[in-house]
Amino acid sequence: MSTKLSEAALLSHSAFHLILASGSARRRELLTDAGFLFSVLPPRSGAEEDAEASLYGATPELLVKTLARTKARDVVSMLLNGTLVPRLDGLATASIVANAPLVVLACDSVAVCDGEILGKPVDRADAERMLRRLSGSRHSVVTGLCLALLSRESTSRELERVETSTLQMDELSEEQLSAYLASNLWQGKAGAFGYQDGNSWLELLSGEESNVVGLPLEALAQILVENFSA
């Protein structure tokens, strides 16, 4: 773990209250393993649907940045309206406003292969299509990161980053493809694969490993340290 990441995790214990705007178990695991103290408040179901509809034909970078921002703003809206259903550390709205700034963290990721954006598969057939598309290819995972900072006066500002990691997928045999599809590990994952699943047929060439999972920790740490370190 880098020094900056350790510093950012330590800051989450005293300098601000971190709220993860995601229901992703893997993103929670990444933050927990890095030592962050945080609560979880996912955006409302379908919060980004209108934004997605307006982003047809957008670049991957614009797409993920806009969707991450939309998720963050939805959670900010709930917090400012007192609609807080926290998990993990049981923070209350009153204590957040009274004691420290609130930082809402939202992300969105897609896989990109030869210009084609691959989001989360809708079913097994869609997952198979994506994996066949990626098989034997070099591709990237692009993640938009949005931090919405709320002051004690309930005013907010947004800090955004887009991170890209490059991967190489081996040519998948029919046996490998069938086994992975049968495992259902593709569910809910951009591009229908999870780097964290430990597949020998997937190699990270550049960028953050955590970015491929959906939360670029080093980029997050840099933003937090720049804005909250004394």
Side-chain angles (χ1 to χ4, degrees):
M1 185 184 300
S2 71
T3 301
K4 186 161 288 187
L5 183 55
S6 297
E7 183 181 354
L10 187 60
L11 286 170
S12 74
H13 291 246
S14 58
F16 54 84
H17 291 294
L18 183 64
I19 297 290
L20 176 61
S22 172
S24 166
R26 184 56 180 153
R27 286 183 177 130
R28 294 200 303 272
E29 184 179 343
L30 286 170
L31 287 174
T32 299
D33 289 348
F36 283 88
L37 181 65
F38 63 100
S39 291
V40 178
L41 182 60
R44 287 167 286 200
S45 178
E48 67 268 33
E49 287 182 358
D50 288 343
E52 281 185 315
S54 67
L55 288 166
Y56 181 78
T59 64
E61 293 77 12
L62 178 59
L63 176 66
V64 295
K65 184 168 68 173
T66 303
L67 293 181
R69 184 192 309 134
T70 300
K71 294 174 185 178
R73 288 179 178 177
D74 185 69
V75 170
V76 166
S77 174
M78 286 191 284
L79 289 166
L80 295 181
N81 289 321
T83 311
L84 178 61
V85 186
R87 290 153 54 185
L88 300 185
D89 66 1
L91 294 175
T93 305
S95 65
I96 289 172
V97 173
N99 298 324
L102 173 65
V103 177
V104 175
L105 163 62
C107 299
D108 195 87
S109 298
V110 295
V112 183
C113 185
D114 293 331
E116 180 182 356
I117 297 174
L118 304 174
K120 298 176 182 177
V122 296
D123 54 26
R124 178 177 171 134
D126 195 29
E128 180 176 353
R129 178 191 68 81
M130 291 184 183
L131 289 170
R132 289 189 183 279
R133 178 74 178 83
L134 294 168
S135 178
S137 75
R138 180 173 294 193
H139 57 281
S140 60
V141 171
V142 183
T143 298
L145 173 71
C146 180
L147 293 179
L149 282 56
L150 278 74
S151 71
R152 296 180 183 182
E153 293 78 25
S154 297
T155 57
S156 66
R157 61 190 177 102
E158 295 165 344
L159 305 172
E160 299 176 330
R161 288 280 292 273
V162 175
E163 295 292 313
T164 300
S165 298
T166 304
L167 303 99
Q168 176 70 42
M169 186 180 290
D170 292 344
E171 191 77 38
L172 297 176
S173 67
E174 290 300 317
E175 291 76 15
Q176 287 173 317
L177 179 60
S178 295
Y180 192 68
L181 289 171
S183 73
N184 289 327
L185 291 172
W186 50 267
Q187 292 181 344
K189 295 171 180 173
F193 68 86
Y195 182 79
Q196 66 272 25
D197 298 333
N199 297 301
S200 61
W201 36 262
L202 194 61
E203 178 185 3
L204 179 65
L205 301 178
S206 67
E208 285 191 55
E209 178 178 330
S210 61
N211 184 58
V212 184
V213 182
L215 201 172
L217 288 175
E218 292 296 338
L220 170 66
Q222 182 177 353
I223 295 173
L224 292 175
V225 169
E226 288 175 353
N227 285 272
F228 290 99
S229 183

